[in-house]
Amino acid sequence: MTRPNNLNSERVLILAPHGRDAGLARALLREADLPAVVVPDLPALVRGLDEVAGAVLITEEAMRTADLTGLSRWIGEQPAWSDMPFILLTRQGGADRSPNAARLTRILGNVSFLERPFHPTTLISVVMAALRSRRRQYEARLRLEELHAREAQLRELNATLESRVAEVVDERAIAEEAMRQSQKMEAVGQLTGGVAHDFNNLLTIIRSSVDFLRRPDLTEDRRRRYMDAVSDTVDRAAKLTGQLLAFARRQALKPETFEAGDCLRGVADMLDTVTGARIHVAVDLPDAACFIHCDRSQFETALINMAVNARDAMDGEGSLTLRLACGKRMPAIRGHAGSRSHFAAVSLTDTGTGIPREQLDRIFEPFFTTKEVGKGTGLGLSQVFGFAKQSGGDINVTSELGAGATFTLYLPEVTAPAEPADEPQTNEADTDGAGRRILVVEDNVEIGRFATQILQDLGYTPEWAANAEAALELLGVDGDGFDAVFSDVVMPGMGGIALAEALRSRLPHLSVVLTSGYSHVLAEEGSHGFELLHKPYSAEQLLRVLRRICNRPSSRSPAARDRQAQPR
């Protein structure tokens, strides 16, 4: 292979012997100033690879019945730095729906699936990403070649051995860092592709359902079915983003102190519906209470995700033991230092097939799964990993092939909480806004209009401010009779948290509800004691939180209390 400054090193080899795919792809790539060469068959493709190439664009049809021996040999004989990127054009939707996907993935190795028909921009984006990956490989090769040359010189310079060794060690570290960066970027590409694939599937359901809902002749039964499909798909999309944020340790948690044993017992009681009747669920709890401080909902989700993983490993039959141990020290896990502090160790032990040693370091990666296509997203254990890390703990796994596996979740143990004060009673009979004034603070025009419309339909009297500064001006010195503020978190200028803290200081009687799809401030510092409504939220969720805070007597301005006291 030639040096990366050779123009041929960036060329894309195209093998698409049927139809117009080859000509169309070459024209699109050349229009984007990307060199492309069409080859007639697989032997010609291998010869082109022997010369030099940056990426390969190939159709699934070209590989379906062809002899892949020569191509497979070339891929297997690549040097250690090389991992030729392949882009496979398919008509069956990618790896999750193509029956040949697993076989072709094993043969090609570094392969991306692109479904036809594709948008020209998508093709160019995928090809450019592949070429960028190839350039990083060339850079790593050059680093390694320079390193080998310096090592050869080192053997000839015994007089300055120590200094030369130090230099080589530094250069090796640079080369290894370049290789790690290349692998990291490839992992990002895999993650991006997985997210795009899953969201495109969800958006397909939503778009198709909306198209049918526009039909005037649709029966009420079918209309209800499509509306349920849209609602269920939104829930699945929200769960997907939640799992991704959990893995990245960027979700906004709502920590609370609770007794881990009671929670574990409650989860165990409902696991029968998750694991099935053929799996025996046992619980082993200590006599003494064990308190932890974390997001209870995410904790329960983590337990269920681990239970589902165990169920699949046991093929639906076996035993699952949930065990809680208190006052434990967290050991060193995956190269990270342990801790001598007290931790609650929550473990799930199954009698499944176990986990191969080579997979133990990968099972917490997003979208990594050993299940059949369509049987899982590969995000369940990622959520557990991210939740544990963000909560100040970790997750460990031990396994032996044929003897099951044990997942142990370590969370910081805390002292028992003080008795909670009685919550003020809210009037659940109030099912609408009763004309209460709500100030909506939202910089996005479409969401601002939609939120005010929802509040109007719920019986509230909303007003809309496009930013925090305008909201402060509307509220004035006494709150101007508003009952609550409903504010986005991420806004230009003053953000929602800064606005809420300013109102807490200036107008302590005025309740604030924050909403956000994602905020690094919320993920790192929490909600600062304010009510938080995660996007996407439903009208029922918004009604519930507003009803709760507006029914608190201490949460109304004097003008709002006077208005509430007036007879209707």
Side-chain angles (χ1 to χ4, degrees):
M1 295 185 180
T2 64
R3 295 285 179 183
N5 57 5
N6 186 327
L7 292 179
N8 286 338
S9 67
E10 297 265 25
R11 69 175 179 168
V12 180
L13 299 180
I14 302 174
L15 176 56
H18 308 295
R20 300 172 53 245
D21 287 332
L24 176 61
R26 178 172 58 183
L28 292 173
L29 293 178
R30 288 184 173 177
E31 186 176 350
D33 293 328
L34 298 176
V37 176
V38 175
V39 295
D41 50 35
L42 273 175
L45 174 63
V46 175
R47 289 193 297 272
L49 290 171
D50 282 334
E51 295 173 5
V52 75
V56 175
L57 183 67
I58 187 170
T59 61
E60 188 177 13
E61 295 86 353
M63 302 186 65
R64 186 167 294 151
T65 57
D67 183 3
L68 304 179
T69 304
L71 178 61
S72 179
R73 183 184 303 113
W74 187 94
I75 293 173
E77 293 174 352
Q78 293 180 92
W81 60 265
S82 176
D83 192 10
M84 176 63 69
F86 288 83
I87 302 166
L88 187 67
L89 300 183
T90 174
R91 296 187 183 278
Q92 297 183 339
D96 62 337
R97 286 187 286 166
S98 173
N100 294 319
R103 181 178 72 91
L104 296 178
T105 300
R106 286 194 301 270
I107 294 173
L108 299 178
N110 185 11
V111 58
S112 300
F113 291 85
L114 183 60
E115 183 181 7
R116 292 169 291 182
F118 51 79
H119 193 278
T121 303
T122 303
L123 174 66
I124 298 303
S125 176
V126 172
V127 171
M128 291 185 70
L131 292 176
R132 284 195 299 270
S133 172
R134 190 62 171 167
R135 288 189 206 114
R136 289 191 293 272
Q137 295 174 21
Y138 286 137
E139 292 169 2
R141 179 189 66 178
L142 290 176
R143 292 280 190 179
L144 292 173
E145 288 176 351
E146 292 172 1
L147 176 61
H148 293 156
R150 294 300 298 274
E151 288 176 337
Q153 295 175 6
L154 183 63
R155 286 190 294 268
E156 301 173 2
L157 301 173
N158 293 327
T160 56
L161 180 61
E162 291 185 3
S163 62
R164 295 293 184 177
V165 167
E167 292 177 10
V168 171
V169 168
D170 290 341
E171 292 179 7
R172 183 186 295 274
I174 294 174
E176 291 175 349
E177 179 61 28
M179 291 290 288
R180 282 193 293 268
Q181 187 65 22
S182 175
Q183 294 169 351
K184 195 178 299 182
M185 293 303 296
E186 289 172 5
V188 170
Q190 178 186 4
L191 176 62
T192 304
V195 173
H197 172 265
D198 283 4
F199 266 103
N200 281 335
N201 284 343
L202 298 174
L203 291 173
T204 297
I205 297 174
I206 293 175
R207 182 169 185 174
S208 299
S209 298
V210 170
D211 287 343
F212 275 97
L213 287 170
R214 288 196 178 104
R215 294 187 175 183
D217 57 342
L218 197 64
T219 65
E220 186 59 31
D221 179 63
R222 296 182 66 191
R223 185 179 303 278
R224 188 181 305 108
R225 190 188 318 156
Y226 285 119
M227 291 176 66
D228 290 343
V230 171
S231 179
D232 292 344
T233 305
V234 170
D235 290 341
R236 288 167 57 195
K239 180 180 179 181
L240 177 62
T241 56
Q243 289 175 320
L244 286 169
L245 290 175
F247 171 76
R249 294 175 249 170
R250 292 295 185 268
Q251 60 181 341
L253 298 179
K254 294 183 178 179
E256 58 180 297
T257 299
F258 58 92
E259 208 281 307
D262 288 342
C263 184
L264 203 63
R265 190 180 293 107
V267 170
D269 289 341
M270 71 176 185
L271 279 184
D272 285 341
T273 61
V274 175
T275 59
R278 294 189 301 159
I279 292 181
H280 173 67
V281 179
V283 182
D284 183 5
L285 301 177
D287 295 331
C290 181
F291 291 91
I292 57 178
H293 185 73
C294 64
D295 187 314
R296 181 165 185 154
S297 174
Q298 290 294 324
F299 175 65
E300 293 173 346
T301 299
L303 295 177
I304 292 173
N305 282 337
M306 289 191 288
V308 169
N309 187 70
R311 176 202 65 191
D312 296 340
M314 293 185 287
D315 196 21
E317 183 173 7
S319 63
L320 177 64
T321 302
L322 283 71
R323 184 173 289 107
L324 172 64
C326 302
K328 295 294 183 180
R329 294 176 179 176
M330 186 170 68
I333 300 174
R334 289 182 300 278
H336 297 282
S339 174
R340 300 176 65 85
S341 300
H342 286 184
F343 284 81
V346 182
S347 62
L348 279 79
T349 302
D350 64 64
T351 57
T353 56
I355 305 170
R357 182 177 298 274
E358 63 273 12
Q359 294 180 4
L360 282 176
D361 292 334
R362 299 196 60 199
I363 57 176
F364 297 112
E365 294 179 6
F367 297 105
F368 176 78
T369 178
T370 58
K371 300 175 184 178
E372 299 177 7
V373 174
K375 297 296 184 180
T377 63
L379 284 174
L381 292 180
S382 297
Q383 180 271 336
V384 181
F385 173 85
F387 162 71
K389 286 289 189 179
Q390 195 173 355
S391 300
D394 209 335
I395 174 75
N396 195 22
V397 56
T398 57
S399 179
E400 182 179 345
L401 281 179
T406 296
F407 287 81
T408 303
L409 180 63
Y410 291 92
L411 294 171
E413 187 177 349
V414 297
T415 57
E419 289 295 325
D422 292 337
E423 287 290 329
Q425 296 296 316
T426 60
N427 185 3
E428 294 294 334
D430 290 341
T431 58
D432 57 36
R436 296 184 178 91
R437 295 183 69 204
I438 308 296
L439 180 58
V440 177
V441 189
E442 172 62 64
D443 64 302
N444 184 286
V445 175
E446 293 182 357
I447 297 178
R449 289 174 178 168
F450 190 69
T452 53
Q453 184 61 60
I454 289 178
L455 290 170
Q456 287 176 353
D457 292 342
L458 292 175
Y460 292 94
T461 303
E463 290 191 39
W464 174 26
N467 52 60
E469 292 80 4
L472 290 173
E473 186 175 344
L474 277 173
L475 291 168
V477 296
D478 62 354
D480 195 29
F482 282 99
D483 293 271
V485 174
F486 181 48
S487 175
D488 190 20
V489 171
V490 181
M491 296 183 292
M494 178 183 284
I497 293 178
L499 170 64
E501 290 178 333
L503 293 178
R504 179 156 56 188
S505 173
R506 204 165 96 183
L507 301 168
H509 61 270
L510 189 62
S511 296
V512 177
V513 179
L514 298 175
T515 181
S516 179
Y518 165 70
S519 165
H520 73 278
V521 177
L522 290 176
E524 295 170 359
E525 302 176 13
S527 59
H528 295 250
F530 299 104
E531 293 280 352
L532 177 62
L533 190 60
H534 289 282
K535 294 178 182 177
Y537 54 81
S538 67
E540 178 60 31
Q541 290 171 321
L542 178 59
L543 174 62
R544 192 180 304 122
V545 68
L546 288 177
R547 178 196 296 157
R548 183 171 66 251
I549 66 170
C550 288
N551 282 339
R552 298 172 186 166
S554 61
S555 301
R556 300 175 195 156
S557 66
R561 287 197 295 269
D562 292 343
R563 186 179 67 253
Q564 190 72 15
Q566 293 176 1
R568 300 180 187 176

